[in-house]
């Protein structure tokens, strides 16, 4: 049967030779059966986490003009501030505001591929208003970069491959990303837009992501293969780890990338805050794979066979080999799809192509619906236009 709860793993067990094998066994089970997990005893400095939460919340208290000084559409890198309701997932509006940060890089050269625009300096809020914001998040990104690299090596060991198996997919100055997100409760949304979609159903891209749930609110949910939504409530002292489509592709589908979403807080509950960190992969990477032992492949196949009668999740797999030459091309397209205002200013040709594809898909779906109606499918409740494609960095 499909998972009904999210496992909690103690990362300190991986640091002890006497307990590491037990940890790797638990990790392997979480990777093959769930694709979503909590980790505790992460090694990230507790005082730093407290500063991250305080500074992250303080950003949203800035005057609107100050937030707009660093708005995302100022630059082609998709780094910066996004106002409420300005992002799209699964063709619907996400009701959240956020700022995106990353490992710093210099501006790209004009001779480099277009997707190198994603590698750029951050837009930092005015230090006169938030004097320790920048050093706090630069420190957190550094510590999370180390954690994610360590955790990826543990994933490799759990799959019975060398700990360094994924190293060739990283740049020496690898970019990692971070979002600071505020989900207002539905009572503060426009009266005609009181949707529960904080962020719609999606799978993360790249390899792994690590979510710091920065307030007490529930709302994060993962979808099992029966189609049920499983709550992932905040647990103090933990990070939520989501496996990305990149890792699923690299491991021949062994590591499950799990669909998840965020529901907006109910009226009167106040805003939910979260701070996800996204482990990056080289944008120059091609769609290669690593060799997975046959025994591990068979374990995954047996798990899927047991669940063959399930509904499946609501998001199709979009990390498709053959469509793109490099990961950067796919990533840039996904960013334009999620942030059309940035696309309109900096990538109009890509945005036009995306809208053409969406229009064509919509027409095809409408044709399937009409065919089912003609066959009596509507009366039988059989109309299903298929999954929506939503691959994001983030989400949670």
């Amino acid at each position: 049967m499909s998972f009904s709860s999210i496992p909690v793993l103690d990362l300190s067990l991986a640091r002890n030779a006497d307990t590491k094998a037990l940890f790797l066994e638990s990790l392997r089970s979480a990777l093959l059966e769930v694709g979503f997990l909590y980790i505790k005893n992460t090694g990230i400095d507790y005082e730093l986490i407290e500063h991250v939460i305080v500074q992250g919340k303080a950003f949203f208290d800035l005057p609107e003009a100050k937030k707009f000084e660093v708005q995302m559409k100022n630059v082609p890198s998709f780094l910066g501030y996004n106002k409420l309701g300005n992002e799209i997932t699964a063709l619907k509006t996400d009701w959240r505001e956020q700022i995106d940060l990353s490992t710093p890089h210099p501006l790209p050269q004009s001779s480099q591929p277009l997707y190198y625009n994603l590698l750029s300096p951050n837009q930092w809020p005015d230090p006169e208003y938030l004097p320790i914001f920048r050093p706090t998040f630069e420190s957190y990104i550094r510590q999370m970069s180390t954690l994610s690299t360590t955790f990826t090596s543990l994933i490799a060991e759990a799959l019975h491959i060398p700990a360094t198996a994924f190293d060739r997919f990283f740049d020496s100055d690898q970019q990692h990303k971070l979002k600071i997100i505020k989900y207002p409760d539905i009572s503060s949304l426009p009266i005609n837009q009181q949707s529960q979609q904080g962020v719609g159903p999606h799978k993360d891209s790249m390899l792994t992501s690590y979510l710091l749930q920065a307030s007490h609110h529930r709302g994060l949910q993962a979808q099992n293969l029966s189609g049920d939504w499983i709550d992932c409530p905040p647990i103090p002292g933990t990070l939520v780890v989501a496996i990305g489509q990149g890792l699923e592709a690299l491991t021949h589908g062994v590591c499950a990338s799990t669909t998840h979403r965020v529901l907006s807080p109910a009226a009167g509950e106040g805003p939910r805050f979260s701070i996800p960190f996204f482990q990056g992969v080289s944008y120059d990477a091609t769609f290669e794979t690593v060799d997975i032992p046959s025994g591990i492949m068979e374990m995954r196949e047996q798990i899927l066979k047991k669940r063959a009668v399930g509904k499946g999740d609501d998001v199709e797999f979009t990390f498709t080999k053959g469509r793109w030459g490099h990961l950067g091309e796919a990533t840039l397209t996904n960013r334009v799809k999620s942030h059309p205002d940035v696309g309109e200013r900096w990538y109009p040709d890509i945005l036009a192509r995306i809208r053409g594809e969406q229009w064509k898909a919509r027409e095809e779906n409408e044709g399937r619906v009409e065919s089912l109606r003609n066959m009596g499918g509507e009366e039988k409740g059989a109309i299903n236009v298929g999954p929506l494609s939503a691959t994001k960095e983030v989400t949670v």
Side-chain angles (χ1 to χ4, degrees):
M1 60 182 294
S2 293
F3 66 88
S4 58
S5 61
I6 308 301
V8 181
L9 274 62
D10 185 348
L11 198 53
S12 68
L13 298 180
R15 305 184 192 108
N16 187 322
D18 295 332
T19 55
K20 186 175 181 179
L22 177 63
F23 174 86
L24 293 177
E25 181 180 351
S26 298
L27 177 58
R28 183 164 52 250
S29 176
L31 293 170
L32 272 61
E33 299 188 33
V34 185
F36 229 69
L37 61 144
Y38 295 89
I39 53 174
K40 62 180 182 180
N41 294 318
T42 63
I44 303 297
D45 182 73
Y46 177 77
E47 185 176 354
L48 174 60
I49 290 175
E50 289 299 303
H51 284 314
V52 163
I53 292 173
V54 170
Q55 291 297 304
K57 292 179 178 179
F59 172 80
F60 298 106
D61 292 331
L62 289 175
E64 189 172 82
K66 283 295 172 183
K67 289 187 284 189
F68 281 174
E69 285 179 356
V70 295
Q71 63 182 327
M72 186 177 285
K73 67 179 182 180
N74 290 346
V75 292
S77 64
F78 296 89
L79 298 174
Y81 171 68
N82 238 351
K83 68 180 182 180
L84 182 66
N86 215 37
E87 186 175 4
I88 295 171
T89 302
L91 305 180
K92 295 182 180 179
T93 298
D94 295 330
W95 291 105
R96 61 180 184 174
E97 60 175 317
Q98 62 195 18
I99 183 171
D100 287 50
L101 305 171
S102 83
T103 310
H105 283 77
L107 288 170
Q109 302 296 314
S110 59
S111 59
Q112 293 176 310
L114 187 62
Y115 56 77
Y116 271 49
N117 283 346
L118 301 171
L119 300 169
S120 295
N122 285 302
Q123 296 193 83
W124 294 105
D126 189 336
E128 291 189 8
Y129 284 76
L130 293 174
I132 67 169
F133 182 94
R134 178 173 180 171
T136 295
F137 279 96
E138 286 182 331
S139 179
Y140 185 67
I141 289 172
R142 283 194 300 271
Q143 290 198 27
M144 287 301 304
S145 299
T146 301
L147 171 62
S148 66
T149 302
T150 299
F151 197 77
T152 304
S153 70
L154 291 171
I155 289 174
E157 291 185 81
L159 299 178
H160 296 168
I161 58 179
T164 58
F166 299 113
D167 289 0
R168 60 192 170 102
F169 300 105
F170 301 119
D171 293 325
S172 58
D173 58 347
Q174 181 58 53
Q175 183 195 53
H176 305 289
K177 290 196 66 180
L178 176 145
K179 289 179 180 278
I180 310 166
I181 307 171
K182 176 184 178 180
Y183 299 93
D185 75 38
I186 60 173
S187 64
S188 61
L189 300 180
I191 192 66
N192 62 336
Q193 297 287 355
Q194 294 193 347
S195 164
Q196 276 197 305
Q197 178 163 307
V199 63
H202 65 281
K203 297 173 185 283
D204 288 357
S205 61
M206 304 304 185
L207 298 192
T208 56
S209 54
Y210 304 80
L211 171 67
L212 173 61
Q213 300 197 74
S215 59
H216 67 279
H217 302 79
R218 290 175 176 262
L220 176 62
Q221 296 180 325
Q223 190 180 42
N224 65 25
L225 291 182
S226 295
D228 301 320
W229 290 102
I230 309 302
D231 283 331
C232 309
I235 300 177
T238 68
L239 297 170
V240 178
V241 180
I243 302 304
Q245 288 201 29
L247 188 59
E248 182 170 346
L250 291 177
T251 60
H252 306 270
V254 165
C255 294
S257 177
T258 299
T259 298
H260 48 288
R261 68 181 182 185
V262 175
L263 302 180
S264 296
E269 289 188 355
R272 176 182 183 267
F273 296 92
S274 69
I275 305 172
F277 173 92
F278 304 97
Q279 181 185 36
V281 180
S282 173
Y283 292 132
D284 291 325
T286 55
F287 292 76
E288 305 173 50
T289 56
V290 296
D291 293 329
I292 303 296
S294 59
I296 299 293
M297 297 283 287
E298 290 170 6
M299 289 173 63
R300 176 61 176 164
E301 289 171 5
Q302 290 301 315
I303 290 169
L304 293 176
K305 284 180 181 178
K306 291 178 182 178
R307 300 173 183 171
V309 298
K311 168 184 177 293
D313 63 29
D314 284 343
V315 176
E316 67 182 346
F317 188 76
T318 60
F319 206 100
T320 306
K321 185 175 181 178
R323 184 178 181 187
W324 313 101
H326 296 89
L327 176 63
E329 298 167 28
T331 303
L332 179 59
T333 298
N334 281 327
R335 302 266 172 87
V336 172
K337 187 184 298 183
S338 294
H339 303 283
D341 61 327
V342 181
E344 287 175 350
R345 181 167 183 178
W346 298 100
Y347 306 102
D349 293 343
I350 295 177
L351 182 61
R353 173 172 54 80
I354 289 169
R355 286 175 169 166
E357 291 170 353
Q358 290 173 337
W359 179 258
K360 181 180 179 180
R362 188 178 295 112
E363 287 186 325
E364 291 174 352
N365 283 339
E366 289 173 354
R368 290 204 299 270
V369 169
E370 185 62 29
S371 296
L372 286 167
R373 283 176 178 157
N374 292 337
M375 293 186 295
E378 185 175 31
E379 294 178 3
K380 298 176 183 178
I383 292 178
N384 181 1
V385 297
L388 293 169
S389 172
T391 305
K392 299 174 76 70
E393 310 165 292
V394 147
T395 50
V396 290

